[in-house]
Amino acid sequence: MAAYILRRLLLMIPTILGIMLISFAIVQFAPGGPVERVIAQLQGFDMGATSRFSGGGGDVGRGGAMTPGAAADTASKYRGAQGLDPKFIAELEKQFGFDKPAWERFLLMVKNYAVFDFGRSYFRDESVLKLIGEKLPVSMSLGLWMTLISYSVSIPLGIAKAVRDGERFDAWTSNLIIIGYAIPSFLFAMLLIVLFSGGSFWQIFPLRGLVSENFSELSLPAKIGDYLWHIFLPVLAMTLGAFATQTFLTKNSFLDEIRKQYVQTARMKGLTENRVLYGHVFRNAMLIVVSGFPGAFVHAFLTGSVLIETIFSLDGLGYLSYESIVNRDYPVVFANLYIFALLGLVVNLLSDLTYTWIDPRIDFETREV
């Protein structure tokens, strides 16, 4: 097992490099950029992604000076830069690190990211790592609650559907689950806001934030109540469509096990149905479901909260990523991408190790990576 884990860890290195290289290359051809954003602000306009630039992934304040001729060429690359001193444009590029060749910027980024040095945000003047640390609890809170609630509901429901396969209960619960899965989470979130957050009906739940402004002044029970009051609607919107996959996966897994010979043998021995179901079937059937828990949590944590955080004005990683992309804050964008990709690879490894923990008969040493 140690050799398998080591091979998987080593394979993460080229995978991460490939992800970062592709993302970095795409940014080189993306319209707009931080330099154009500054120019647009100086001209009194909102940033518009109207032209292309040779930038992305640079480090603030690093790089050499630019010659006057190159400065003039630089100014001509940016629409809206008319009337601005070419030397000023060159200084902007130097500030954002775009005066270096693309390959040099990429290698510098890889070197810094290897030690988790993500630099500083272009437009917030804060450490990127500090920004991520500040937003992380919000996204983790949403992802954890969504995963726990969806598993606590979908597993018992999936077992009940497997036991009553083909009956009326199985049919109507399947219809409800499919309808819930088909409704986009952001659309359901807006419906909840209209109904329960002072839209056209009731003002029951708050519209924004994870806690109230006077949270620090509240007692411990009041803090818990305030937190649950704020998070109820966002978590409800996120978990609506999360039941379908886990419920049907649980049902199908139990059905496969129930039809096996050892279950028939246990029944012939006179064991009760509950003893057969929870004493023999449960562990084997839950192998696939439980081993997917780390992946389900990371999926909810990384991808499921972007729209929900934006709609409910929750200042988490999802909203930070969205805002950074819109503002062309590339240090934050690449740092989030790097962390998300690394977490995804680690979670895939943890899922495989969970298999062996649940069922020791599984041996990855005999498999080729």
Side-chain angles (χ1 to χ4, degrees), residues 11-88:
L11 279 174
M12 291 181 186
I13 298 175
T15 304
I16 286 287
L17 288 176
I19 293 173
M20 299 305 295
L21 178 60
I22 293 173
S23 303
F24 185 87
I26 291 174
V27 167
Q28 307 311 303
F29 301 98
V35 176
E36 286 195 343
R37 184 172 185 268
V38 173
I39 292 174
Q41 290 176 338
L42 291 174
Q43 300 286 0
F45 301 101
D46 290 333
M47 187 197 75
T50 56
S51 67
R52 298 183 178 183
F53 72 102
S54 177
D59 291 331
V60 177
R62 297 179 182 175
M66 185 175 288
T67 63
D73 293 337
T74 297
S76 66
K77 291 190 296 183
Y78 301 98
R79 294 182 182 179
Q82 290 82 358
L84 294 178
D85 188 351
K87 293 183 179 180
F88 173 74

Side-chain angles (χ1 to χ4, degrees), residues 274-337:
N274 283 339
R275 180 71 181 275
V276 172
L277 188 63
Y278 294 102
H280 293 75
V281 176
F282 187 83
R283 179 174 179 177
N284 295 329
M286 290 302 294
L287 175 63
I288 297 177
V289 178
V290 175
S291 62
F293 180 85
F297 170 68
V298 171
H299 173 75
F301 166 51
L302 301 183
T303 63
S305 61
V306 177
L307 290 175
I308 299 301
E309 288 180 8
T310 303
I311 292 172
F312 287 96
S313 300
L314 299 175
D315 199 9
L317 278 182
Y319 185 73
L320 175 66
S321 300
Y322 167 76
E323 191 179 47
S324 300
I325 292 172
V326 171
N327 293 331
R328 304 301 194 268
D329 198 348
Y330 291 124
V332 180
V333 173
F334 279 108
N336 279 319
L337 177 64

Side-chain angles (χ1 to χ4, degrees), residues 223-238:
K223 286 182 178 180
I224 296 175
D226 182 77
Y227 166 74
L228 295 176
W229 180 49
H230 280 77
I231 207 172
F232 181 80
L233 292 186
V235 171
L236 181 61
M238 290 179 64

Side-chain angles (χ1 to χ4, degrees), residues 70-321:
D73 293 337
T74 297
S76 66
K77 291 190 296 183
Y78 301 98
R79 294 182 182 179
Q82 290 82 358
L84 294 178
D85 188 351
K87 293 183 179 180
F88 173 74
I89 304 297
E91 286 298 321
L92 279 180
E93 286 211 336
K94 180 180 178 182
Q95 177 185 357
F96 290 117
F98 298 150
D99 56 323
K100 300 184 179 70
W103 64 267
E104 185 177 344
R105 293 197 303 275
F106 177 75
L107 292 179
L108 184 60
M109 181 179 70
V110 170
K111 175 185 175 183
N112 293 332
Y113 280 25
V115 293
F116 291 90
D117 177 12
F118 303 120
R120 301 182 68 82
S121 168
Y122 284 162
F123 303 108
R124 293 172 181 260
D125 194 27
E126 287 187 64
S127 167
V128 174
L129 200 59
K130 180 182 177 182
L131 275 175
I132 294 176
E134 292 174 350
K135 315 301 181 184
L136 188 61
V138 176
S139 297
M140 285 194 66
S141 181
L142 291 175
L144 183 62
W145 279 111
M146 172 186 170
T147 306
L148 291 178
I149 293 175
S150 63
Y151 265 76
S152 62
V153 173
S154 61
I155 290 177
L157 182 59
I159 295 174
K161 287 173 65 63
V163 173
R164 304 173 187 177
D165 182 42
E167 298 180 7
R168 182 176 298 179
F169 172 82
D170 182 37
W172 70 261
T173 53
S174 295
N175 291 333
L176 290 178
I177 292 172
I178 292 173
I179 292 173
Y181 184 74
I183 299 176
S185 60
F186 72 90
L187 185 62
F188 186 57
M190 290 188 288
L191 176 63
L192 291 176
I193 290 176
V194 172
L195 290 176
F196 303 111
S197 294
S200 302
F201 296 90
W202 303 281
Q203 177 71 53
I204 300 176
F205 295 97
L207 182 60
R208 59 185 301 136
L210 198 61
V211 293
S212 300
E213 294 182 358
N214 63 335
F215 182 79
S216 59
E217 303 172 1
L218 301 176
S219 62
L220 180 59
K223 286 182 178 180
I224 296 175
D226 182 77
Y227 166 74
L228 295 176
W229 180 49
H230 280 77
I231 207 172
F232 181 80
L233 292 186
V235 171
L236 181 61
M238 290 179 64
T239 53
L240 176 67
F243 299 113
T245 303
Q246 293 300 329
T247 300
F248 288 120
L249 179 63
T250 303
K251 175 191 173 182
N252 294 332
S253 181
F254 269 79
L255 283 177
D256 289 341
E257 293 296 323
I258 289 174
R259 294 166 181 167
K260 290 183 178 179
Q261 186 62 42
Y262 76 91
V263 177
Q264 302 300 327
T265 303
R267 286 171 175 167
M268 291 174 62
K269 289 180 179 180
L271 297 179
T272 63
E273 192 64 24
N274 283 339
R275 180 71 181 275
V276 172
L277 188 63
Y278 294 102
H280 293 75
V281 176
F282 187 83
R283 179 174 179 177
N284 295 329
M286 290 302 294
L287 175 63
I288 297 177
V289 178
V290 175
S291 62
F293 180 85
F297 170 68
V298 171
H299 173 75
F301 166 51
L302 301 183
T303 63
S305 61
V306 177
L307 290 175
I308 299 301
E309 288 180 8
T310 303
I311 292 172
F312 287 96
S313 300
L314 299 175
D315 199 9
L317 278 182
Y319 185 73
L320 175 66
S321 300

